[in-house]
Amino acid sequence: MKPTSWILKFLFLSLLTLLSMGVINFILDPFQQYRKAQFYKPIYDNERYLNPGLAKTYDYNEVIIGSSMTENFLLSDTRDILGFTKPIKFSMSGATAYEIKIMLDSAYQHRKIDSVIYGIDLFSFTGESTRLFHGEGSLPFYLYDNNRLNDYRYLLSFDTFKFFVDSFVLSKPEVMFDFNRMYQWQHTFNEDDFNRKDRIDEWREKYGFNPDYTKNEYTLKAMKANIDTNLIPLIQHHPETTFYLFYPPYSILAFKDMQNKGWLNTVEQFKYYLFTQLAHYPNVKIYDFQASKEVTCNLDNYKDLLHYHQRINSWMLGEMKNKSYLIEDTTELQQYNQSLSKNIQEFSESELNCVKIMTKTLSPKVNHVI
Amino acid sequence: MLFNSYEYIFLFLPITFGIYFWLNKKRLTQASKGWIVFASLFFYSWWNVIYLPLILGSILFNFAIGSSITHINSTFLSKKRLSSKSILTFGITANVLLLVYYKYMDFFITNANMMAGTHWELMQIILPLGISFFTFTQIAYLVDAYRNEVKEMDYLNYTLFVTFFPHLLAGPILHHKEMMPQFDDVRNKVLNPKNIAAGMYLFAIGLFKKVVIADTFAIWVSYGYGDTASLSLMCAWATSLSYTFQLYFDFSGYTDMALAVALLFNIKLPINFNSPYKAVNIQDFWRRWHMTLSRFLRDYIYIPLGGNRHGELRTYGNLFSVFLVGGLWHGASWMFVIWGALHGGAIVLHRAWQQSGRKMNTILAWFLTFNFINITWIFFRAKEWDDAVNILSGMVGLNGIEEFSDVLEFGGLSTIELFMMGIVLMIGVSSFFTPNSNQMAKSFRLSNKSLLFGAFLMCMGILHLSKISAFLYFNF
């Protein structure tokens, strides 16, 4: 073979192969970028890739968004309890405030949104205000914009094909295909993973969750910047949307850890700042579930120091409806802050008593959810 | 810019290539050189333009030093005011200081703080891209100029030599005489389809090695090194071996792409890897691994220290120091120093063994060598001493022995990823006895077989440029 003909054939063959792969990926479209899945049952997995597709191709009026603290919400619950009509979930595990902003901005380009339930995970608001949870390059911006030209990263990718094969050809738990439970992690744990004894052990051993609150990313300044750039503009630009902001109830031990390391004070100031910046917008409701002794002090609700059971998600929706834990003014805000401190104090003094009381009051109420 | 990126493969490379040969066709040879320099600086500044002045300053400085050394060398002895040796010393010192400032300052401050109990703040210097490489290249140039082995009085040529984009960021570490005569050869200024075909073929191999093989191993590596304390026997071995393969396929794949691209321009760069894991002793390994670095360390550190000319004991000392420096060159951390010391120790031991005249069975020798390398890479990769110890304890079974099914769950791989891991593992193991990419490029024939094979690797490579990041920890 002549060198020139080898070169031309090489280029032709390569381009042809790449093009075929692109066409195949376009037809399979596992992240539903171009159309709602038609010839296969879609899986709800890999949130940061799938969400922007769903935002374009699904029909929805209400959005649930936030970190893993929001992944267990049942869409049916939002319909039953809050009267939502066409809810969808755009949660991302570990979501940063910036990632949430990018996602909501993308959704607003395609749909009118009546309500947003937004979990104000304290950790989402730490760090740089352009922080991506999994680091640089971890969010596929080319799927979030309206530019089709940069979709080659999606179409000319073997991983796109792999994801399709992996999700639809090989077996996955049925619950991952359930739109109502999209992105939930509850089923990956056993009921007895949520227990007090392990949490106390975890607290003593400090495995898993042990942030260094002295780092720069945890400063009030960084957190305020996140509010300013990633939260306020959303609310300002979308008066047609009601925002249900809520502080997720981590276990009391997580707050004790914050207090021990001097971060709780920052958290209080953060909440104060957020409230004073947003209170005058009529389309915002802010709920502070972190003051709820009945949830946070009952360690049987938790699978680690932060993550609560799915029944707590349902419970929160009910409380939103009842307007309990709704912060109406700064006095109430201070009261919530004070009761959180008081809860920590009491829990530290007599752990056992606190747990006992709570198991009694909450357990019967929540069991029906599961 | 990275070789394994869309913008490089589909825009930068074709445009740079096309304009270079078009200018040469118009007989604008100076302009064609200027074009490559411009393109290379663009390539360098792609992510961050702030270090462009730094590299330009370094080039200008070294050109001035090199020229004055050449100038003094060529004038009569009586007229000399400054000796070329003192200028050389000044030049090398300045280069080393620049490297120390950008690469090691925070390391020194951390250590000083630790030992003296001071609280100096870290300077948080961002390491300029390729500084270790362009500094070493230019130190070599200055020494060569001092030894009268090279004369370069043309600033454009000199800049081209340092910045030529294939070798700029990650080597090979070049001698002036290896590249510049090729740029001046008129026969190299016209398109050479044979070189282009061979270059494309080698590029496809390199790209595949980097983005398919190395990046697949990377999943196990980052998982294993992410939580070293929990690694039991087989997972600890999977972690260390994966890194050993990842590093080789990553670095040598990247070098393959560098050589391949240079070949498109009819420039032959020196090979940098020659199947290092086939080595049967540690000296053999260093003749096969990052060969141009070994050559640099030998010619510009080992030999100036006296090499083996001052008795056995001194030779051992020299060898050991070279490896300490070599270790530290890889990064500012004690782990690299430890890694260098281990290799230095092994080299000394090997030399002593050799002097004693004893022989060893080849297979046993290979086995010992490979395992030594595999173990020392743990120190190279680990951020902390404890991580290295954890992995080693896992490898000897101190953290328990798991079921084989646990290994399949290691790294949270999906079924299809596990399948890919199996394939790259087979490729990794086969690298012990199959020809390497340079040998493949050498025996390259213009056949249908090479066409299909090359195009397949190329496509797989390109299809792996954009990855769907699979995240292993979802609990936040």
Side-chain angles (χ1 to χ4, degrees):
Chain A
M1 205 184 302
K2 285 230 169 72
T4 328
S5 107
W6 191 96
I7 294 166
L8 292 176
K9 281 182 190 167
F10 180 90
L11 292 176
F12 177 75
L13 201 61
S14 301
L15 286 178
L16 193 74
T17 313
L18 292 177
L19 210 68
S20 323
M21 190 76 231
V23 171
I24 291 172
N25 279 338
F26 179 79
I27 294 169
L28 299 179
D29 191 19
F31 293 127
Q32 305 184 63
Q33 293 291 317
Y34 307 108
R35 67 201 87 84
K36 224 173 151 165
Q38 277 154 358
F39 58 92
Y40 59 88
K41 206 174 162 197
I43 192 167
Y44 298 98
D45 195 8
N46 228 332
E47 299 144 336
R48 285 170 171 81
Y49 286 78
L50 184 56
N51 282 340
L54 303 184
K56 286 173 205 159
T57 56
Y58 276 48
D59 194 15
Y60 51 90
N61 294 331
E62 297 93 0
V63 171
I64 300 164
I65 200 163
S67 65
S68 56
M69 298 292 153
T70 62
E71 285 177 321
N72 282 337
F73 278 114
L74 297 173
L75 296 183
S76 54
D77 272 358
T78 66
R79 271 192 294 262
D80 297 346
I81 300 172
L82 292 177
F84 282 6
T85 50
K86 285 180 198 157
I88 198 167
K89 208 189 291 168
F90 291 142
S91 304
M92 292 163 260
S93 53
T96 65
Y98 178 60
E99 288 170 324
I100 293 172
K101 166 97 167 31
I102 299 283
M103 186 55 227
L104 282 177
D105 280 344
S106 176
Y108 274 118
Q109 287 182 11
H110 305 284
R111 300 284 182 272
K112 195 183 141 290
I113 303 171
D114 296 334
S115 308
V116 170
I117 295 183
Y118 184 141
I120 306 282
D121 193 336
L122 298 175
F123 301 96
S124 302
F125 283 76
T126 55
E128 299 270 325
S129 45
T130 54
R131 178 170 71 96
L132 302 177
F133 182 70
H134 291 289
E136 205 182 327
S138 62
L139 197 72
F141 283 98
Y142 52 90
L143 298 178
Y144 285 76
D145 58 18
N146 268 331
N147 181 0
R148 288 293 187 215
L149 287 178
N150 59 17
D151 285 8
Y152 63 86
R153 286 172 180 271
Y154 171 55
L155 295 173
L156 292 185
S157 169
F158 194 66
D159 272 9
T160 306
F161 181 71
K162 248 165 57 181
F163 181 81
F164 182 87
V165 174
D166 202 54
S167 314
F168 304 115
V169 179
L170 307 166
S171 67
K172 283 274 166 77
E174 196 51 38
V175 49
M176 294 179 81
F177 296 86
D178 182 355
F179 181 66
N180 187 41
R181 293 174 181 268
M182 58 192 298
Y183 304 144
Q184 79 162 32
W185 49 260
Q186 182 67 39
H187 63 277
T188 62
F189 293 90
N190 297 323
E191 281 303 304
D192 57 10
D193 289 331
F194 295 78
N195 77 77
R196 175 184 173 278
K197 189 187 163 294
D198 285 358
R199 298 298 78 77
I200 300 280
D201 286 350
E202 189 173 350
W203 165 254
R204 297 212 171 107
E205 308 261 331
K206 283 285 162 58
Y207 52 83
F209 171 72
N210 194 18
D212 178 3
Y213 291 120
T214 57
K215 280 186 177 167
N216 264 341
E217 54 197 89
Y218 292 103
T219 54
L220 184 61
K221 192 169 162 239
M223 296 181 79
K224 276 182 174 177
N226 266 298
I227 295 178
D228 293 342
T229 49
N230 294 323
L231 184 59
I232 295 175
L234 279 171
I235 288 159
Q236 213 168 22
H237 296 150
H238 299 286
E240 76 282 7
T241 309
T242 308
F243 285 86
Y244 298 79
L245 311 182
F246 73 91
Y247 294 111
Y250 313 130
S251 83
I252 197 73
L253 291 175
F255 295 110
K256 190 167 159 54
D257 186 46
M258 294 176 196
Q259 192 182 52
N260 287 356
K261 293 172 184 166
W263 197 52
L264 197 61
N265 193 22
T266 309
V267 170
E268 287 176 2
Q269 288 171 295
F270 167 83
K271 287 179 177 174
Y272 184 81
Y273 182 77
L274 189 142
F275 184 79
T276 50
Q277 292 299 304
L278 293 178
H280 62 280
Y281 292 102
N283 58 330
V284 181
K285 301 176 200 297
I286 307 169
Y287 301 86
D288 190 352
F289 297 117
Q290 303 183 336
S292 70
K293 187 175 179 178
E294 59 204 278
V295 174
T296 61
C297 291
N298 179 0
L299 296 182
D300 286 332
N301 287 328
Y302 296 90
K303 66 124 179 124
D304 56 37
L305 296 187
L306 295 175
H307 291 88
Y308 39 78
H309 194 280
Q310 190 163 40
R311 60 178 175 252
I312 304 303
N313 291 78
S314 307
W315 171 82
M316 286 192 289
L317 293 176
E319 298 304 305
M320 282 184 193
K321 192 182 180 225
N322 298 339
K323 303 208 172 133
S324 16
Y325 300 103
L326 178 68
I327 309 175
E328 311 252 25
D329 50 45
T330 46
T331 324
E332 263 188 36
L333 177 81
Q334 306 291 15
Q335 280 167 5
Y336 283 131
N337 281 340
Q338 278 160 14
S339 44
L340 174 55
S341 302
K342 202 174 114 222
N343 293 347
I344 300 173
Q345 181 70 27
E346 286 179 6
F347 187 85
S348 312
E349 281 168 9
S350 56
E351 299 174 4
L352 283 170
N353 287 342
C354 182
V355 171
K356 242 182 194 167
I357 298 161
M358 287 312 112
T359 323
K360 261 183 209 156
T361 51
L362 197 63
S363 303
K365 190 179 162 192
V366 294
N367 277 345
H368 76 276
V369 178
I370 293 302
Chain B
M1 211 181 279
L2 284 175
F3 294 161
N4 50 314
S5 64
Y6 296 103
E7 54 271 18
Y8 178 80
I9 296 174
F10 291 107
L11 294 172
F12 179 83
L13 191 54
I15 293 172
T16 309
F17 175 84
I19 293 184
Y20 175 74
F21 283 104
W22 178 76
L23 287 170
N24 273 318
K25 204 174 169 190
K26 299 270 169 199
R27 301 195 184 280
L28 298 165
T29 51
Q30 278 305 98
S32 75
K33 280 183 186 169
W35 165 248
I36 296 280
V37 168
F38 171 80
S40 299
L41 293 173
F42 177 82
F43 172 86
Y44 185 77
S45 322
W46 177 252
W47 281 312
N48 201 341
V49 76
I50 61 162
Y51 285 121
L52 182 62
L54 180 81
I55 190 173
L56 286 175
S58 165
I59 290 169
L60 188 62
F61 172 80
N62 283 297
F63 177 69
I65 297 283
S67 307
S68 40
I69 290 173
T70 309
H71 180 73
I72 291 175
N73 277 347
S74 59
T75 43
F76 291 112
L77 206 62
S78 57
K79 286 186 182 168
K80 283 182 188 172
R81 274 192 230 124
L82 272 169
S83 75
S84 56
K85 190 162 190 172
S86 52
I87 298 182
L88 175 71
T89 314
F90 170 67
I92 292 177
T93 312
N95 275 302
V96 171
L97 283 179
L98 185 80
L99 193 59
V100 165
Y101 176 77
Y102 279 103
K103 197 166 174 173
Y104 302 103
M105 211 53 189
D106 280 347
F107 177 59
F108 288 142
I109 294 175
T110 313
N111 282 303
N113 283 346
M114 215 156 63
M115 279 186 283
T118 47
H119 292 284
W120 291 326
E121 253 185 64
L122 294 185
M123 303 174 79
Q124 312 282 5
I125 301 162
I126 307 163
L127 187 68
L129 281 174
I131 189 168
S132 315
F133 285 95
F134 69 70
T135 307
F136 267 29
T137 307
Q138 296 190 99
I139 289 176
Y141 169 79
L142 294 185
V143 177
D144 290 351
Y146 172 73
R147 292 175 182 163
N148 261 333
E149 287 170 7
V150 57
K151 283 192 176 77
E152 181 59 82
M153 303 311 256
D154 184 309
Y155 183 59
L156 185 65
N157 272 348
Y158 181 75
T159 312
L160 175 62
F161 155 62
V162 180
T163 62
F164 186 46
F165 65 90
H167 79 87
L168 177 58
L169 295 185
I173 300 166
L174 291 180
H175 286 296
H176 183 275
K177 57 177 178 276
E178 280 170 328
M179 188 169 82
M180 293 321 287
Q182 298 187 61
F183 261 110
D184 289 327
D185 189 338
V186 283
R187 280 169 305 177
N188 288 340
K189 293 187 185 301
V190 289
L191 285 171
N192 180 336
K194 247 187 179 158
N195 281 347
I196 295 170
M200 285 173 153
Y201 186 69
L202 184 58
F203 190 88
I205 296 174
L207 184 67
F208 186 86
K209 280 165 75 174
K210 163 90 184 83
V211 300
V212 182
I213 305 178
D215 289 357
T216 302
F217 278 123
I219 307 174
W220 267 3
V221 174
S222 49
Y223 192 76
Y225 279 92
D227 182 13
T228 53
S230 65
L231 293 174
S232 37
L233 186 78
M234 282 180 275
C235 291
W237 276 96
T239 302
S240 72
L241 285 172
S242 292
Y243 183 62
T244 295
F245 286 128
Q246 184 203 351
L247 190 61
Y248 168 64
F249 283 103
D250 191 284
F251 196 7
S252 75
Y254 208 77
T255 312
D256 289 342
M257 289 189 269
L259 266 63
V261 169
L263 199 57
L264 300 179
F265 292 86
N266 300 319
I267 306 291
K268 289 199 171 77
L269 298 183
I271 66 166
N272 221 4
F273 290 90
N274 183 20
S275 298
Y277 296 156
K278 290 178 192 164
V280 291
N281 61 55
I282 193 68
Q283 186 189 34
D284 189 21
F285 172 75
W286 280 103
R287 286 179 180 155
R288 293 161 170 270
W289 177 273
H290 204 176
M291 292 150 75
T292 55
L293 175 68
S294 310
R295 180 179 71 176
F296 178 93
L297 294 174
R298 182 195 65 208
D299 291 352
Y300 303 103
I301 299 185
Y302 178 65
I303 291 176
L305 281 176
N308 57 4
R309 286 162 295 160
H310 301 287
E312 260 324 89
L313 214 59
R314 185 67 194 277
T315 308
Y316 290 149
N318 289 343
L319 281 169
F320 195 73
S321 335
V322 165
F323 276 89
L324 281 187
V325 174
L328 199 57
W329 179 83
H330 285 86
S333 136
W334 284 110
M335 294 309 285
F336 289 115
V337 179
I338 292 167
W339 171 78
L342 287 170
H343 273 264
I347 283 275
V348 167
L349 210 67
H350 168 254
R351 192 181 165 86
W353 171 275
Q354 232 181 5
Q355 300 286 344
S356 77
R358 266 173 282 205
K359 291 267 180 289
M360 193 187 280
N361 172 286
T362 318
I363 294 176
L364 178 67
W366 168 81
F367 184 77
L368 283 180
T369 309
F370 180 74
N371 277 290
F372 174 78
I373 292 161
N374 184 45
I375 286 168
T376 47
W377 282 141
I378 296 171
F379 293 88
F380 190 85
R381 172 62 170 78
K383 290 261 175 333
E384 309 279 343
W385 173 259
D386 287 348
D387 287 329
V389 173
N390 283 342
I391 293 181
L392 285 171
S393 338
M395 285 165 70
V396 293
L398 291 180
N399 298 343
I401 301 168
E402 68 277 64
E403 299 280 318
F404 185 68
S405 57
D406 293 338
V407 183
L408 295 180
E409 280 167 24
F410 183 58
L413 298 182
S414 66
T415 318
I416 194 164
E417 283 168 330
L418 206 60
F419 180 70
M420 289 290 288
M421 188 63 83
I423 292 178
V424 298
L425 262 173
M426 283 193 299
I427 298 176
V429 171
S430 71
S431 70
F432 293 138
F433 39 82
T434 47
N436 62 46
S437 40
N438 293 307
Q439 291 159 334
M440 284 160 83
K442 221 172 193 174
S443 62
F444 168 67
R445 298 275 172 281
L446 296 158
S447 64
N448 280 328
K449 202 177 131 197
S450 66
L451 177 72
L452 289 176
F453 184 61
F456 172 75
L457 296 184
M458 190 72 170
C459 290
M460 283 307 277
I462 288 171
L463 290 172
H464 277 79
L465 291 180
S466 169
K467 295 213 168 67
I468 294 171
S469 334
F471 303 114
L472 302 169
Y473 308 100
F474 66 92
N475 283 338
F476 252 104

